[in-house]
């Protein structure tokens, strides 16, 4: 009720200051841009993410476009990170205002990024930053992430995410 509004009124500016001081920098050779659809480059990205001992769902442009672009129930935002013309990763976000959403909750619903190498850092931190920034600009009050794995803890923390106890 009204107590949470007072806490939010005081906490929101503090969170904004924290986020501005802890920005994830996009590597100079990487560009992040909004996509209207996925193309066949996502298949190459998916295969580059496959590694011994890692279980992932192989992504294709057909699958991702069906799930996120052609979905009539909800609008998704697609962000891609590129080194030159090569897709290095993507993030898909959702801020569903077509249903009751009094807390203005939004989500990062899917993501994939090529692993870091000795020569190139992963584009995932700057993709998460861009996804969260876009949701906040759209008015999101809470941003959650639908899935995480063991290698993403620092990326999530650098974007302002906090794990709940037991997660």
């Amino acid at each position: 009720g009204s107590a949470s509004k007072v806490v939010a009124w005081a906490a929101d500016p503090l969170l904004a200051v924290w986020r501005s001081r802890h920005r994830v920098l996009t590597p100079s050779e990487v560009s992040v841009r909004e996509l209207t659809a996925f193309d066949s480059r996502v298949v190459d990205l998916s295969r580059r993410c496959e590694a011994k001992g890692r279980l992932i769902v192989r992504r294709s442009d057909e699958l991702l476009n069906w799930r996120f672009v052609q979905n009539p129930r909800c609008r998704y935002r697609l962000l891609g990170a590129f080194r030159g013309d090569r897709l290095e990763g993507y993030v898909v976000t959702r801020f569903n205002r077509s249903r009751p959403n009094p807390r203005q909750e939004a989500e990062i619903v899917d993501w994939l990024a090529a692993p870091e190498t000795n020569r190139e850092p992963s584009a995932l931190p700057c993709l998460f930053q861009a996804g969260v920034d876009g949701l906040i600009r759209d008015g999101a009050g809470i941003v959650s992430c639908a899935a995480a794995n063991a290698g993403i803890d620092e990326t999530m923390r650098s974007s302002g995410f906090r794990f709940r106890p037991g997660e």
Side-chain angles (χ1 to χ4, degrees):
S2 61
S4 64
K5 289 180 182 177
V6 171
V7 170
W9 177 82
D12 285 348
L14 294 174
L15 288 171
V17 168
W18 183 91
R19 283 182 44 76
S20 70
R21 292 183 180 211
H22 294 90
R23 303 254 342 133
V24 173
L25 299 177
T26 302
S28 60
E29 71 280 4
V30 172
S31 65
V32 176
R33 57 186 182 261
E34 192 162 344
L35 307 173
T36 56
F38 290 99
D39 62 30
S40 61
R41 291 177 285 190
V42 78
V43 175
D44 175 61
L45 169 65
S46 184
R47 290 196 173 157
R48 285 187 288 137
C49 292
E50 295 173 4
K52 186 176 180 173
R54 183 175 186 202
L55 178 66
I56 71 166
V57 174
R58 183 173 287 167
R59 270 69 160 205
S60 70
D61 48 321
E62 293 91 3
L63 169 70
L64 295 175
N65 287 325
W66 171 81
R67 174 72 177 94
F68 299 119
V69 177
Q70 299 161 359
N71 187 327
R73 296 177 50 212
C74 186
R75 182 183 167 277
Y76 294 89
R77 178 178 286 152
L78 321 172
L79 298 171
F82 296 85
R83 279 191 175 91
D85 197 38
R86 187 174 72 177
L87 179 66
E88 290 296 317
Y90 70 83
V91 164
V92 179
T93 65
R94 170 180 61 198
F95 187 12
N96 193 346
R97 294 181 180 175
S98 63
R99 61 173 167 74
N101 190 355
R103 296 183 345 150
Q104 301 298 303
E105 296 179 61
E107 302 97 9
I108 291 179
V109 296
D110 192 28
W111 53 267
L112 187 66
E116 183 171 324
T117 67
N118 291 337
R119 298 176 316 166
E120 300 174 333
S122 172
L124 191 58
C126 66
L127 278 167
F128 261 67
Q129 181 81 64
V132 170
D133 287 349
L135 291 168
I136 289 171
R137 274 192 311 276
D138 289 347
I142 297 170
V143 178
S144 60
C145 185
N149 65 28
I152 196 171
D153 293 6
E154 187 52 40
T155 293
M156 293 186 74
R157 281 189 187 90
S158 68
S159 298
F161 285 92
R162 299 292 175 258
F163 288 96
R164 295 179 183 132
E167 289 185 335

